[in-house]
Amino acid sequence: MTTPDDGTTPLAVEHAGPPVHVDGLRRRTVAVLAAAQVLGGLAAGSVVSVGSLLAVDLSGVRAWAGSVTTASTLGAALGSLALARLAVAHGRRRALSTGLALAAAGAIGIVLAAVLAFFPLLLVAGALLGVGAAVTLQSRFAATDLSTPTTRSRDLSVVVWASTVGAVVGPNLVHLDEQVARLTGLPPMAGVFVFAAAGLLGALVVVQVGLRPDPLDVAGRRSGAPGTRPHVPLRSALTTLRRHPRAAAAVVGVLTAHGVMVAVMSVTSVHLEDHGGSISAVGLTISLHLGAMFAFAPLMGLLADAVGSRPTLVAGLLVLVLGAAVCGAAGGDHVAVTVGLALVGLGWSAATVAGSSIVSGAVPRADRVAVQGLSDAMMSLAGAGGGLLAGVGLQVVGYSGIAVAAAVVGLLGATAVVVVSRRGGRTTPTG
């Protein structure tokens, strides 16, 4: 028996087995997704801290510094659409498991690229590893499948927060490179991706075992609309965004935050190395940045619930602008760069949590997964563009020029969010 979902009351829902108490399943689903994020987060930290250095080492060209980040984000963009289609057809568990398996293959491929000193393989493997980022993005939305309007931001932010452990630990695994190289014969900077592969495989096991019954399937039965569609209608998702300006404004904000963040972050390690920073110092800076991105996510969720998601989104973009400006003015001051990059991460956190919450709540349930997949894909493409332009810009305008340009883009994005969202008036979010 199914009962229409009013978005507020926990229900007992039948599936292929005993009835499920939705509120209990919601909490368990969030816990499983959070555990997988802890393990999978090692890969994200590895790409950020070591990927650009490995790209320069294998290619011999500084302009390729952002290439691994770009390949990774392109992989995430393509993966987001593919995983969204898979989720609609077969559920979240199948989609997330497939993405984690591909990402683990990418981490192993990066190790092989370092062993063979073959730059093209590094880019292909980086793209595969980027599918893990698509899993991370979809996981935050999966956490809202069974949420009510009063728990949506909180549930989403807990899964984002869970990435903190892996994201902070990942960059600092470079300390173990020497020991890994001695034990395995691997070249420098390759060992960290061994840990990334292990983490991704661990996350795969957690999702396979723990994500039963599938939350998306239960959500469909809960709303009285079970069943699946064979694909994600991209054109329908674009039409949905045009009909829901609040969701469209949120997507604009999320894209801006991610593009600006990736642009500044992707070349910071090279900038610090150019100014005498050791690999340990680079790892610490990136760890603090990633910690700011993820560790404060629950606070951002509470803030969005307390003052509203749109004000939190705009405030996050303005903090990100401030961080980019600090990086631009820092020059070779490592402490100032670290502070600026941490502010960029903090602004990204507020904008992403608030914007994603709006996307999940401002469109009808039937169109939600399609819009989420499109949003994730565009978010990743924005990151890919930011990383690519930053790598080239490092040669042309330098790190300070990139940071200043990022701050300007952030201001334009914040303005666009306000303008576009006003077209939506006071539309009530969909449960």
Side-chain angles (χ1 to χ4, degrees):
M1 175 176 63
T2 59
T3 305
D5 176 20
D6 64 2
T8 59
T9 306
L11 302 171
V13 180
E14 292 179 1
H15 61 105
V20 176
H21 190 269
V22 173
D23 192 55
L25 179 59
R26 175 185 66 82
R27 292 193 297 269
R28 183 160 67 85
T29 297
V30 171
V32 168
L33 293 169
Q37 291 291 84
V38 169
L39 295 169
L42 294 173
S46 301
V47 171
V48 172
S49 61
V50 180
S52 59
L53 300 176
L54 193 55
V56 172
D57 183 58
L58 295 186
S59 69
V61 180
R62 281 169 49 81
W64 288 101
S67 61
V68 174
T69 301
T70 301
S72 178
T73 48
L74 285 173
L78 295 175
S80 293
L81 292 175
L83 295 184
R85 292 184 177 185
L86 199 56
V88 170
H90 299 289
R92 295 288 193 188
R93 183 170 60 87
R94 177 81 66 85
L96 298 178
S97 296
T98 300
L100 288 166
L102 290 172
I108 294 170
I110 289 181
V111 174
L112 290 176
V115 170
L116 300 174
F118 189 46
F119 180 64
L121 177 58
L122 177 68
L123 297 182
V124 173
L128 282 176
L129 186 56
V131 180
V135 171
T136 297
L137 294 174
Q138 187 175 126
S139 292
R140 80 194 194 282
F141 284 134
T144 69
D145 285 341
L146 301 174
S147 297
T148 67
T150 57
T151 66
R152 183 178 294 118
S153 294
R154 182 179 63 197
D155 290 344
L156 187 151
S157 66
V158 167
V159 174
V160 174
W161 169 84
S163 302
T164 305
V165 176
V168 172
V169 171
N172 288 290
L173 290 176
V174 294
H175 292 298
L176 301 178
D177 259 354
E178 185 176 340
Q179 292 91 320
V180 173
R182 186 170 59 251
L183 292 173
T184 64
L186 293 174
M189 296 184 287
V192 67
F193 290 97
V194 174
F195 296 109
L200 288 163
L201 291 173
L204 172 59
V205 172
V206 169
V207 168
Q208 274 290 322
V209 173
L211 215 58
R212 299 171 185 267
D214 192 281
L216 193 58
D217 179 60
V218 174
R221 294 179 183 277
R222 183 188 185 193
S223 65
T228 59
R229 290 174 293 181
H231 65 283
V232 173
L234 179 61
R235 183 176 301 176
S236 173
L238 290 169
T239 301
T240 300
L241 285 177
R242 285 196 293 269
R243 291 200 310 264
H244 296 83
R246 290 182 67 252
V251 170
V252 169
V254 169
L255 300 188
T256 301
H258 198 63
V260 168
M261 183 276 294
V262 171
V264 177
M265 175 192 66
S266 64
V267 293
T268 294
S269 56
V270 176
H271 173 71
L272 291 176
E273 188 181 49
D274 286 346
H275 287 82
S278 66
I279 192 168
S280 296
V282 171
L284 176 61
T285 297
I286 298 300
S287 289
L288 292 173
H289 165 69
L290 294 173
M293 286 175 64
F294 301 122
F296 297 96
L299 292 178
M300 301 307 174
L302 292 173
L303 182 64
D305 287 338
V307 305
S309 293
R310 190 180 73 175
T312 303
L313 170 58
V314 174
L317 288 171
L318 294 179
V319 171
L320 190 146
V321 167
L322 174 62
V326 170
C327 287
D333 188 332
H334 292 194
V335 173
V337 170
T338 300
V339 170
L341 202 62
L343 287 172
V344 168
L346 197 64
W348 179 93
S349 180
T352 300
V353 168
S356 299
S357 180
I358 294 171
V359 171
S360 287
V363 297
R365 184 180 294 278
D367 299 318
R368 197 166 292 170
V369 176
V371 172
Q372 289 169 351
L374 179 63
S375 173
D376 285 347
M378 292 193 298
M379 180 178 177
S380 297
L381 287 173
L388 180 62
L389 292 174
V392 176
L394 192 62
Q395 294 287 91
V396 179
V397 298
Y399 183 75
S400 294
I402 292 170
V404 170
V408 172
V409 171
L411 280 174
L412 292 175
T415 303
V417 167
V418 174
V419 172
V420 174
S421 61
R422 282 178 177 172
R423 292 169 47 207
R426 296 179 177 272
T427 305
T428 302
T430 304

